[in-house]
Amino acid sequence: MDPLFLFLLGHFIGDYAFQTDKMVANKRTLSRILILHCAIYTITLAFFAGIHDLLYDSGVFIRVLPWLIPIFLLHISQDLIKSKYFVGSRQFYYLDQALHLAAVYALRIIVGG
């Protein structure tokens, strides 16, 4: 199985399922809530890379590790900009999600599998 599927699953679970309404409402500043959301998102991606390794013994998890901090920083900067300057903008929401998905796809290309 291509790790992209599990990375996408990690993205949707980390960015939606594990993000509470309180997090959405309170991440307009570089606060602990924004940091917590992005940490949960990043850990979720790492978790699914680990699941891929358990299923396929592929070494994807080890190759993902150096990229977790850049993924975290990219996600936090995008969410900070979106929540501070583009609240309620449907167009920027789509752009934000496209950038998140592009980062996930880039991660897949970088780590192989």
Side-chain angles (χ1 to χ4, degrees), residues 21 33 52 60-62 79 83 94-95 98 111:
D21 291 339
I33 290 183
H52 191 274
V60 167
F61 180 76
I62 292 296
D79 278 14
S83 63
Y94 292 132
L95 176 61
V111 302

Side-chain angles (χ1 to χ4, degrees), residues 28-92:
R28 292 195 176 152
T29 62
L30 187 57
S31 65
R32 24 183 208 150
I33 290 183
L34 177 60
I35 293 168
L36 176 64
H37 162 65
C38 294
I40 290 169
Y41 176 85
T42 305
I43 290 166
T44 304
L45 284 178
F47 173 79
F48 280 99
I51 292 296
H52 191 274
D53 275 3
L54 287 173
L55 294 173
Y56 301 102
D57 193 29
S58 61
V60 167
F61 180 76
I62 292 296
R63 293 192 304 274
V64 162
L65 286 178
W67 296 99
L68 293 179
I69 291 175
I71 290 288
F72 172 83
L73 293 174
L74 184 61
H75 196 92
I76 205 166
S77 62
Q78 288 175 228
D79 278 14
L80 182 61
I81 290 167
K82 178 181 69 177
S83 63
K84 194 167 189 165
Y85 300 110
F86 297 99
V87 175
S89 169
R90 183 59 72 188
Q91 291 85 2
F92 196 81

